[in-house]
Amino acid sequence: MEFERDKTFVTGRFKSMGFALKGAIKLITTEHSVMVQFSIAILLIFAGFYYEISQTEWLIQTLVIGLVLSIEGLNTAVEKVADFIHPEFHERIGFIKDIAAGAVFFAAVTAIAIGCIIYIPKL
């Protein structure tokens, strides 16, 4: 069965957005690390309203939330592809997965630092 591509611009974009939304929902509902990070993001949104953070703080907070969730999604995709290609343990696959997880680590540490810069003065 061949995938039929929608050649019209508008309906093609809506279909692409539908696939992207479906992927985001799968990430949030099936991946435990994304569930945790998404929950933290919701808490930070509530904290932002509670502490009345500035527009600039909102922009930066929104950016790092998106960064962490996006990198985590890419990490999950790398892990799924690696497991599909080589289901048994393999040193090279482990190395690739570790690098992808390291990218999430950098994003998460950045997010924590920004969260501390925004919220510690308010506490």
Side-chain angles (χ1 to χ4, degrees), residues 14-92:
F14 280 121
K15 284 183 180 179
S16 293
M17 288 175 25
F19 294 138
L21 181 61
K22 183 179 176 182
I25 291 169
K26 280 184 181 180
L27 266 173
I28 293 168
T29 58
T30 63
E31 297 300 318
H32 293 285
S33 58
V34 177
M35 289 177 196
V36 170
Q37 292 162 349
F38 187 74
S39 298
I40 292 169
I42 297 299
L43 289 173
L44 286 171
I45 290 168
F46 281 115
F49 285 115
Y50 180 80
Y51 289 107
E52 298 177 351
I53 63 177
S54 71
Q55 182 180 16
T56 303
E57 291 168 331
W58 272 114
L59 290 171
I60 295 169
Q61 177 173 285
T62 302
L63 181 65
V64 296
I65 288 170
L67 174 73
V68 170
L69 291 173
S70 297
I71 299 296
E72 185 63 57
L74 291 173
N75 176 52
T76 299
V78 166
E79 288 182 355
K80 300 290 184 195
V81 169
D83 289 344
F84 179 76
I85 291 171
H86 205 294
E88 310 85 41
F89 175 79
H90 190 279
E91 191 174 321
R92 284 183 174 166

Side-chain angles (χ1 to χ4, degrees), residues 37 64 67-68 71-72 101-115:
Q37 292 162 349
V64 296
L67 174 73
V68 170
I71 299 296
E72 185 63 57
V104 176
F105 175 77
F106 286 134
V109 168
T110 301
I112 290 167
I114 288 172

